[in-house]
């Protein structure tokens, strides 16, 4: 398969050392006259200037590093600068990356290749290669460089990256270790120098003299392995530990400072490691990105493996060799770290070390009910028990009785079963697939009891629980309401069809009938008496505070039910109460016989026990009806509004009160009151009444009896007449006593074309309407009073206004035909 890479290494590796070159040469002249600058103080524009000058410098990476160290910059400064510059690229760099991406996309489209480059933000200088079954648009998205992504694409990019990574290595145990952005294995530069650390060229030492004499020297180990201090001859420290080198340097310093570090002397010295050198290591074999890497001299094997992307699909996680001087000095097994966090073989690297990842020899797949279902690499001598240990063991639902194995032979696939006894002896072969199934949701010794027992539920068939009687005892016995005459035992037949066994539970418990042995999945149902009968209740309706249905209890009396209904209302009658009771007859009976018994009785309102009515015993399904007292009356009120002396709400004293009485109680009519416009509102209806007639003749039928909620309104004298409907200008005009209906309509501009004059009517202020009356040729218009409304309806818009031409011709033809027929008939009559 052809691979396409966006290689950022030439740019970002050079950027990692730009700081040292520019500050030591061009940068020194520009920034503070040769004074060392703090990396954190540099602006982005200054960093950009360093990058531009570095590209034109032509110096090698080692030259740049040496120049930086001679100016007092440490490896920590270089690492910090690398982080700063990783987010900045020159236009030339961006252009080259975009051009490279275009070439990648074109090649992919022409070949349909699935291999694309993903720039991992945690390792910008190391493109990660993956195979993925993504579509073309998704592959193009992943092929774009990180710097052209905007915020809207971040989530989509991360999602696709996870899909790609999981599609390749989701089953290989340990592969995710080198794809974790939060785990880099970078060496800690702030820890004390390891005792095993051996000095070499480019390491920086800090020599501090204190006490009677104060002095400080910063020296760097030369390519020859020596350090130079003042006028002393070179001191050879290559290959020495920091402690040994310190003793050698202090010993030579005694030529300048007598008694240094001697007992009783006033001067002391200390040698520490100020900066570590960079080394080159080579990763080869089955790694994702083989090649040469520049790392810190404190780097370990894990650090280098992470930079190289870890073992690839064919790489071994258990046979990683560190070669130094053509000799294998350590073989690393990553499972030690993955399973036990053991880093005993994670040794520090030396310059020119080679890390070789070999091919895997034996991989097997473990799926199903294990804690870590992956593809595992097995070494010689390991058995299936070791494989289970790597997978974290079985889950709680694993079927462990037998384990299915699919094994590849030289010709075909073979199926094997591993029994429980073979777990420690079975040896896996390369390509084996082990499937751990799930236990069946089925119990081998479960029985269940339901219903009227104190502890219903599931129980195990075991010693002491083998029969129905044992099961009843185990469930704490029968409840008091248990029905003993019949119980059911549901069980499965051999073909798994259900069957029901009926049994007399009372006889079994008394020993009068044989006990029944239980089988797996038996269900014993013990019925209760309450389950076998209709729910028993009593009902109370009428004048109680909480009427409704209540549970029947033995011994309930009428007064007890009234108490449960929260007592009697004030309106309740203590006499003529009724009890309706079912007459229950089982079997045949007279169809004409009564089915309901009615009992009338009286009670004492205090509900005393001594009263016979209160003590009537109730039976299930009885209904008690409590009537309203005949003379009980709740307060009722009416309202009067408008032109009376005392408007407001008035209580109705009795059923004989009328409208005239209400006006009289309200202090009579005010002088500006308009009786003809008075209205009576009853509910939602307007009742037309003639108040003038009511006051002049109280015995008139217009003087209606008052009802609760009535509202009488007497307006002021109205001085307008309203015209609505099919007039040219609907409006209200002033009332003129001598005006006729025709004159009022004229003031509204007359009728419209669509006016229905025959249906015209007048509505008066009191809500009563009147229309035009006709007798023969005589017509009488309704009178117009103040506050009237003249309403002229309209004809429907779709009303026919005459015959069409075709209809007229047809009608004429019909009349002519009929006339001719009549004339012919007359002529044919014998004379």
């Amino acid at each position: 398969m052809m691979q396409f890479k966006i290689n950022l290494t030439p740019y970002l590796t050079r950027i990692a050392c730009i700081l040292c070159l520019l500050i030591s040469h061009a940068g020194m002249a520009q920034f503070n006259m040769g004074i060392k600058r703090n990396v954190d103080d540099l602006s982005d524009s200054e960093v950009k200037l360093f990058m531009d000058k570095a590209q034109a410098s032509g110096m090698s990476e080692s030259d740049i590093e040496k120049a930086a160290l001679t100016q007092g910059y440490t490896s920590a400064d270089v690492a910090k600068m690398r982080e700063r510059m990783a987010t900045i690229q020159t236009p030339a760099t961006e252009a080259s990356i975009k051009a490279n991406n275009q070439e990648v996309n074109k090649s992919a489209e022409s070949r349909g290749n699935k291999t694309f480059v993903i720039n991992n933000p945690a390792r910008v200088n190391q493109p990660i290669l993956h195979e993925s079954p993504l579509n073309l648009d998704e592959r193009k998205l992943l092929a774009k460089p990180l710097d052209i992504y905007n915020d809207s694409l971040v989530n989509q990019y991360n999602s696709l990256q996870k899909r790609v990574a999981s599609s390749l290595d989701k089953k290989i145990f340990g592969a995710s270790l080198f794809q974790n952005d939060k785990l880099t294995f970078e060496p800690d530069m702030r820890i004390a120098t390891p005792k095993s650390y051996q000095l070499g060229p480019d390491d920086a030492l800090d020599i501090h003299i204190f006490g009677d004499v104060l002095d400080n020297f910063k020296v760097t180990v030369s390519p020859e392995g020596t350090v130079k201090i003042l006028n002393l001859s070179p001191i050879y420290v290559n290959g020495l530990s920091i402690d040994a080198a310190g003793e050698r340097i202090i010993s030579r310093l005694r030529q300048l400072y007598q008694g240094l570090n001697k007992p009783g002397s006033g001067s002391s010295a200390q040698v520490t490691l100020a900066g570590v050198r960079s080394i080159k290591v080579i990763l080869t074999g089955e790694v994702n990105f083989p090649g040469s890497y520049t790392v810190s001299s404190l780097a370990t094997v894990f650090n280098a493996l992470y930079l190289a992307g870890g073992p690839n699909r064919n790489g071994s996680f258990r046979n990683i060799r560190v070669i130094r001087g053509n000799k294998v000095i350590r073989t690393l097994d990553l499972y030690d770290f993955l399973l036990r966090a053991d880093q005993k073989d994670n040794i520090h690297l030396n310059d020119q070390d080679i890390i070789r990842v070999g091919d895997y020899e034996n991989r097997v797949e473990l799926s199903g009910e294990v804690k870590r279902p992956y593809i595992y690499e097995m070494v010689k001598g390991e058995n299936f028990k070791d494989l289970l240990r790597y997978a974290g063991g079985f889950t709680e639902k694993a079927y462990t009785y037998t384990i299915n194995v699919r094994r590849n032979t030289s010709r075909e696939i073979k199926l094997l079963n591993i029994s429980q006894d073979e777990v420690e002896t079975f040896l896996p072969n390369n390509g084996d697939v082990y499937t751990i199934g799930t236990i069946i949701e089925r119990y081998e010794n479960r029985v269940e009891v339901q219903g009227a027992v104190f502890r219903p539920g599931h129980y195990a068939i075991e010693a002491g629980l083998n029969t129905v009687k044992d099961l009843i005892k185990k469930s704490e016995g029968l409840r008091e309401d248990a029905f003993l005459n019949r119980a059911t035992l549901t069980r499965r037949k051999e073909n798994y069809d259900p069957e029901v066994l009926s049994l007399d539970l009372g006889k079994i418990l008394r020993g009068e009938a044989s006990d029944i042995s239980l089988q797996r999945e038996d269900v014993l149902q013990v019925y209760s008496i309450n389950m076998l009968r209709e729910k028993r209740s009593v009902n109370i309706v009428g004048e109680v505070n909480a009427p409704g249905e209540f549970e029947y209890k033995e011994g309930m009396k009428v007064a007890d039910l009234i108490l449960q209904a929260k007592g009697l209302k004030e309106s309740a009658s203590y006499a003529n109460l009724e009890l309706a009771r079912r007459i229950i007859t089982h079997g045949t009976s007279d169809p004409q016989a009564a089915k309901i018994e009615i009992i009338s009785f009286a009670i004492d309102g205090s509900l005393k026990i001594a009263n016979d009515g209160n003590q009537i015993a109730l039976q299930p399904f009885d209904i008690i009806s409590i009537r309203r007292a005949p003379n009980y009356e709740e307060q009722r009120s009416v309202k009067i509004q408008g032109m009376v002396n005392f408007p407001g709400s008035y209580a109705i004293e009795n059923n004989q009160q009328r409208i005239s009485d209400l006006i009289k109680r309200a202090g009579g009519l005010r002088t500006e009151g308009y009786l003809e416009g008075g209205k009576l509102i009853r509910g939602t209806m307007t009742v037309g009444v003639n108040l003038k007639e009511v006051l002049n003749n109280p015995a008139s039928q217009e003087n209606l009896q008052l009802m609760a909620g009535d509202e009488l309104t007497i307006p002021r004298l109205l001085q307008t007449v309203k015209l609505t409907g099919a007039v040219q200008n609907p409006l209200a005009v002033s009332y003129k006593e001598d005006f006729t209906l025709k004159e009022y309509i004229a003031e509204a501009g007359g009728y419209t074309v669509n006016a229905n004059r025959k249906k015209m009517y007048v509505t008066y202020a009191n809500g009563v309407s009147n229309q035009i009356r006709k007798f023969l040729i005589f017509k009488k218009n309704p009178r117009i009073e103040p506050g009237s409304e003249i309403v002229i309806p309209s004809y429907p818009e779709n009303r026919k206004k005459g015959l069409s031409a075709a209809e007229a011709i047809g009608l004429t033809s019909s009349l002519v035909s009929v006339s001719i027929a009549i004339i012919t008939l007359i002529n044919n009559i014998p004379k």
Side-chain angles (χ1 to χ4, degrees), residues 778-799:
F778 302 101
K779 180 174 68 172
K780 182 181 180 182
N781 292 329
R783 71 183 186 281
I784 308 299
E785 294 181 354
S788 299
E789 180 180 359
I790 303 172
V791 182
I792 298 92
S794 300
Y795 283 110
E797 292 184 1
N798 58 356
R799 180 180 71 94

Side-chain angles (χ1 to χ4, degrees), residues 516-528:
I516 298 176
S517 297
L518 295 174
Q519 297 180 9
R520 180 176 62 86
E521 300 295 350
D522 278 355
V523 179
L524 177 63
Q525 177 70 54
V526 180
Y527 298 94
S528 69

Side-chain angles (χ1 to χ4, degrees), residues 743-762:
E743 289 173 318
Y744 277 114
I745 293 174
E747 291 209 346
Y751 300 105
T752 64
V753 176
N754 218 27
N756 187 353
R757 303 182 187 186
K758 296 179 180 180
K759 297 294 182 180
M760 180 174 57
Y761 64 91
V762 177

Side-chain angles (χ1 to χ4, degrees), residues 217-479:
F217 303 99
K218 290 186 177 180
V219 297
T220 302
V221 181
S222 69
E224 292 78 21
T226 63
V227 294
K228 187 74 171 66
I229 303 173
L230 295 177
N231 296 323
L232 297 176
S233 61
I235 305 170
Y236 188 78
V237 295
N238 188 54
L240 298 180
S241 66
I242 190 66
D243 291 339
E247 291 179 3
R248 180 173 294 185
I249 292 171
I250 292 172
S251 175
R252 296 289 294 275
L253 283 174
R254 290 194 183 105
Q255 296 178 15
L256 302 176
Y257 306 96
Q258 274 195 330
L260 195 62
N261 278 13
K262 293 287 187 179
S265 173
S267 300
S268 301
Q270 185 179 28
V271 179
T272 58
L273 187 66
V276 297
R277 66 189 184 277
S278 296
I279 62 173
K280 289 186 179 295
V281 295
I282 298 173
L283 284 98
T284 184
E286 297 298 328
V287 291
N288 279 310
F289 313 112
S292 176
Y293 290 83
T294 300
V295 296
S296 165
S297 57
L298 292 177
T300 64
V301 180
F302 282 2
N303 181 212
L305 281 173
Y306 183 81
L307 291 176
N312 61 22
R313 297 192 70 180
N314 296 323
S316 171
F317 282 75
R318 310 196 63 182
N319 183 23
I320 301 173
R321 293 179 293 171
V322 181
I323 302 172
R324 183 175 297 164
N326 291 328
K327 293 183 180 180
V328 177
I329 63 168
R330 192 64 59 96
T331 300
L332 186 70
D333 186 345
L334 286 177
Y335 279 22
D336 292 337
F337 175 76
L338 293 170
L339 298 171
R340 300 190 300 275
D342 185 354
Q343 297 194 64
K344 68 179 186 301
D345 294 321
N346 186 24
I347 61 174
H348 286 89
L349 298 172
N350 285 354
D351 193 28
Q352 301 304 318
D353 277 354
I354 298 174
I355 301 173
R356 188 183 189 284
V357 178
D359 299 293
Y360 76 85
E361 294 183 359
N362 188 359
R363 274 186 185 167
V364 298
E365 182 177 351
L366 188 56
S367 63
E369 294 298 326
V370 289
K371 295 176 182 176
R372 290 189 292 269
Y374 283 104
I375 294 174
Y376 292 91
E377 184 177 348
M378 308 296 292
V379 298
K380 187 176 181 180
E382 289 184 332
N383 54 40
F384 184 72
K385 185 177 181 180
D386 297 317
L387 178 60
L388 285 177
R389 179 167 54 86
Y390 298 154
F394 297 112
T395 66
E396 65 278 2
K397 292 185 177 181
Y399 176 73
T400 61
Y401 188 75
T402 58
I403 296 166
N404 294 327
V405 184
R406 190 184 68 187
R407 173 166 291 180
N408 299 327
T409 65
S410 59
R411 296 181 58 188
E412 51 193 0
I413 298 174
K414 180 180 180 181
L415 293 179
L416 302 173
N417 289 324
I418 304 176
S419 66
Q420 292 176 318
D421 298 333
E422 296 176 314
V423 169
E424 296 186 7
T425 59
F426 190 87
L427 297 178
N429 280 4
N430 186 35
D432 281 356
V433 178
Y434 300 85
T435 303
I436 311 301
T438 305
I439 57 174
I440 302 172
E441 290 291 338
R442 177 177 175 179
Y443 295 87
E444 63 182 24
N445 64 337
R446 181 182 68 173
V447 291
E448 183 180 1
V449 59
Q450 301 174 350
V453 294
F454 284 105
R455 290 192 179 277
H458 296 95
Y459 293 89
I461 299 176
E462 56 188 3
L465 201 165
N466 294 290
T467 64
V468 170
K469 193 172 183 179
D470 294 337
L471 182 57
I472 295 295
K473 183 178 179 181
K474 194 73 173 180
S475 61
E476 302 292 342
L478 299 174
R479 294 203 313 254

Side-chain angles (χ1 to χ4, degrees), residues 163-173 175 179 373-375:
R163 282 178 56 193
V164 171
S166 62
S167 68
L168 175 66
D169 294 328
K170 66 179 181 179
K171 291 186 177 182
I172 300 177
F173 179 64
Q179 298 168 2
Y374 283 104
I375 294 174

Side-chain angles (χ1 to χ4, degrees), residues 617-682:
L618 297 177
Q619 294 183 11
F621 315 113
D622 282 354
I623 299 176
I624 302 294
S625 300
I626 299 179
R627 316 295 184 193
R628 177 184 285 263
N631 295 324
Y632 179 81
E633 186 76 41
E634 294 179 352
Q635 294 93 331
R636 298 176 296 159
S637 63
V638 294
K639 287 183 180 179
I640 185 169
Q641 308 283 351
M643 296 295 101
V644 292
N645 288 312
F646 302 103
S649 180
Y650 290 85
I652 301 175
E653 296 180 9
N654 53 57
N655 292 332
Q656 302 303 318
Q657 285 217 318
R658 298 180 180 271
I659 295 176
S660 59
D661 299 324
L662 177 60
I663 296 175
K664 183 178 180 181
R665 289 175 64 186
L669 194 70
R670 293 169 61 175
T671 56
E672 64 269 32
Y674 180 49
L675 283 177
E676 287 82 351
K679 285 185 180 180
L680 178 66
I681 305 298
R682 177 166 291 172

